[in-house]
Amino acid sequence: MTQKHSAYAGKMQFFLFSSILWTGFLLPLNTWAQNDSTKKATQLKEVQIREYRLTEQSKSPTPLQILSGEDLKRINSLSVADAIRYFSGVQLKDYGGIGGLKTVNVRSLGTNHTAVFLDGIQIGNAQNGQVDLGKFSLSNLEEIALYSGQKPELLIPAKGYASASSIYLKTKEPDFEGNQRQQVELGLKSGSFGLINPSLIYRHKINENLIASINTEYIHADGKYKFRYTNGVFDTTAVRNNGDVERFRLQAALFGKFRNGKWHAQAYSFLSDRGLPGAIVANRFDFTQRIWDRDFFIQGSVEKNLSDKFSIIVNGKCAYVYQRYLDPDYVTTTGFLDNRFKEQEAYLSVSGKYKISSVWEVAYASDYTFQTLDANIYRFPYPSRNTFLNVLSSSLTLEQLTIQANVLSTTVIDHVKLYSSAGNKQVFSPTVMLSWKFLKDRDIRVRAFYKDIFRMPTFNDLYYTFIGNTLLKPEYTKQYDVGITYFKNFKNQQLKFIDIQSDVYFNRVKDKIVAQPGANLYRWIMYNIGLVDIHGLEINAKTAFEPFTNLLVNVGLNYTYQKAVDVTSKQEENYQDQIPYIPENSGSFLARMDCQNWHANYGFIYTGFRYNQKANNIYNYMEPWYTHDAAIGYEFKLKKGSININCEVNNLLNQYYDLIPNFPMPGRNYRLTLNYKL
Amino acid sequence: MRPLKSKIYILVLLLAICACRKDPQPLPSEISKVEPEPTSAIKGFYLVNEGNMNMNKASLDYMDLVNGIYTRNLYNEVNPDVTKGLGDVGNDIGCYGSKLYVVVNVSNKVEVLNVKTGKKIGQINITNCRYITFNNGKAYVSAYLGKVGDPKAPNGIVAEIDTAALSINRNVEVGRQPEEMAIIGSKLYVANSGGYSPPNYEHTVSVIDLPSLKEIKRIEVAINLHRIKADRYGDLYVTSRGDYYTIPSKLFVIDTQTDQIKKVFNIAAGNLVIDDDYAYIYSTEWNYIAGKNNISYNMINIKDETIMDRKFITDGTEKNIKIPYGIAVNPTSKDVYVTDAKDYVTPGKLHCYSPEGRLKWSVTTGDIPAHIAFIN
């Protein structure tokens, strides 16, 4: 009787917040769970009792989505870009195939507003401000976390405060059991596109305070896949060519512990050689352009509690990035067009946090970054940039209320060897966020945040020959978000937990940097000319249940609604038209099933109609697309170690679609993964 | 029963969101109506919209002057069976005999259509083709790339096409990145730009003897040449785009009797059209150092080679044109047509001005309206 009563009370809490009616559909799950509890209690089985604790997502004052552990291992994805598709509020720009450029746009703010961090340190790109997420493999990654706004922690580098959204990639931290001193993981992936992908992870516990790890991976693929274009009358199927890719990655890391602290250092090198399959237009299906990448960096981080009130973290990084682009269709007086870019970066950050009292903490962080770009282009100014970030932040953590606020100061000083520089810029950016658990005994929280931040014009925006404009100002964003989170776990029942998050938000992008016509079609200029208003709604729901003994099902469902419109000028005909590539409706569904040694998963992604240019007319209209991905696998336990086999089918119903017009995505494709763990 | 209920809820929600894809259909054309001219001697004209690169949105519009009907994007409706339609970047258009020729630059082809119906008759494949002109049953197409895949072959070509057989007879190598062409007598003049290798621009006009199709000489003019138009007095009007920084754009007049420059106008001519004794010009001078565009409209008296005070837009409506991109003059009514490419990524506009310079009508076109061909 008491159980039924509490279920009823739970329902009432929901209806009090009727603006989030969407969550109502999960109520039946709630009541059903209560009825079956008596049956469960009588079955005494030796099962691994997993406790589902209050999630980070539920407590967070800023919207947070996480893919980790098992989800990440079996998500039918080869790279971080593929995995990100399952998050809400995210639009992936993918040029197709394994080697195709993949960048992410969070909440329609624009790709340059999302910072990507690897183990707490930002992956920089001063040249065009976009990180190609297709370069980062999921092997050896423990977690991918997406924060809208910022990560609500005080002891992070100043860079953590400096973007409208952040993606945190976390490398797996070695975890040895008992007397184990070594761990080996051998992996092999193969399948469509002529994919061969061996990988190796080796971890060695040198002593109680020091662990070393090496992770290496090689990818070779011919990148061929069928694609189809039809208008109902013509119907053509062809094979994507020049999409071959060869990649090699080597990461070496050291993890250390000392009294009251820990440190971590890693060296990373990435080599890539790939063809660039161009836009499939009438009469043009073959391409010859190529791109080479050589990325190297070393980074490290030291964390120490200097006393029980004062903690400090120091981060540093040195990076060298080289890219070469060859175009045999473009013949100059010195041969084929052969552009070579060299970017170098040095970074140092110090953050300190002080506990004034048990509820009040204050922190200060200071980052310095130096970046330079060399290119063998006509009239290139050879720019370099010094960025000083200083942030003062504070948080108040009461029993039911958490508030955090900070002010970030950004100082940017540009220099050029030739021609004119963009000069210096100084901006102050405030942020406020809160999370309020308004009922003592229920995990229902209301959260809100306001963030005012910007992105600097990139080196390409400012200095690229014929296109750059040194008079560019930063592009500003303001985000207003209000949301509600709900978490409940159930003991000794088939339903394990429910975790729901729902947010409504309004974003505004001001002085949007847009390419405008210059002298003729092939000459564009970057201008601060846009104003975009974005209204959005996101719902994320996660649950796990055990319908039969030994069969555990994890389900995640999310939905995004976005109205992102161009409000630059009432005189323009596209005033209030949806901006390019943003669908009004999108969503995804992910289900993971574990039954003893078997595991299976199913993923569904839906992206609604959108327009590929500013004018919302029939010529720019793109149909909705949706894909089904499924996988099944088995784990063999050996005397020493275990072998895991996983078979995937992606885009099961073979739907042909483009994300960027004329860059077709693959139809149905397969992948087989073999993993040996010692 | 209960677990099933929740699964049904999930499914219903998914289906509700899933607006299914519609069956693909050929893109339809759209119509705008303007004031008809029942007595017009010229029946109408075709307009080609370039479309932004890689978007495959080159499109063909038709203005029926007699009935005042502007049909936008008719190619897909008339030729739904052509794979991927007209193509990417429509760079030029020409009408010769009963055929209409559309040069589609990034699609590496020249489309040949029936001028009355717009139905495709054939296509000629030419890599990186740019402009087209006609003479004596032949079509001449300039192309940026002569030899594909050879790093030591930066020169472009002019290809000679038999308009009956629709095939390439022969071609001749000219300067680097050749642009427009003009024919006077039995000679073809090609403007070489050399735009792929700044600051090493080309600076000559190639002279081709048509019967032998050989380059017989080069006329020294200025860097980065683009437009070339012949007047009825044996002169050529050639534009130079400068280097966009310190060397400004200029307009040159060449006497083909002497093959020498006989006059220089300090006008940054973006495009010009010559009709009878007048040249109608618009200038879009971009300057990187100043950081903006300067737009002006002028007329030149071809007979005495002077800039006239008279303007072809007199009612102040030229302020509404963001980026002029195409210009044409109706040979019988003397109406002037100017297109506005706006920001290159939204549909442009076509404006019609009376011979007195007043705006008659405007219609929305496709992306980057650029080139016009009149039909009789």
Side-chain angles (χ1 to χ4, degrees), chain B residues 154-166:
Chain B
N155 284 40
I157 56 159
V158 171
E160 182 187 70
I161 295 163
D162 184 318
T163 57
L166 293 185

Side-chain angles (χ1 to χ4, degrees), chain A residues 384-386 411-416 420-426 456 462-463 470-472:
Chain A
S384 63
R385 172 175 289 175
N386 300 280
T411 312
V412 177
I413 300 175
D414 274 6
H415 285 303
V416 287
S420 38
S421 109
N424 307 342
K425 291 185 177 49
Q426 169 66 45
M456 278 296 297
L462 295 166
Y463 304 114
T470 54
L471 302 170
L472 280 179

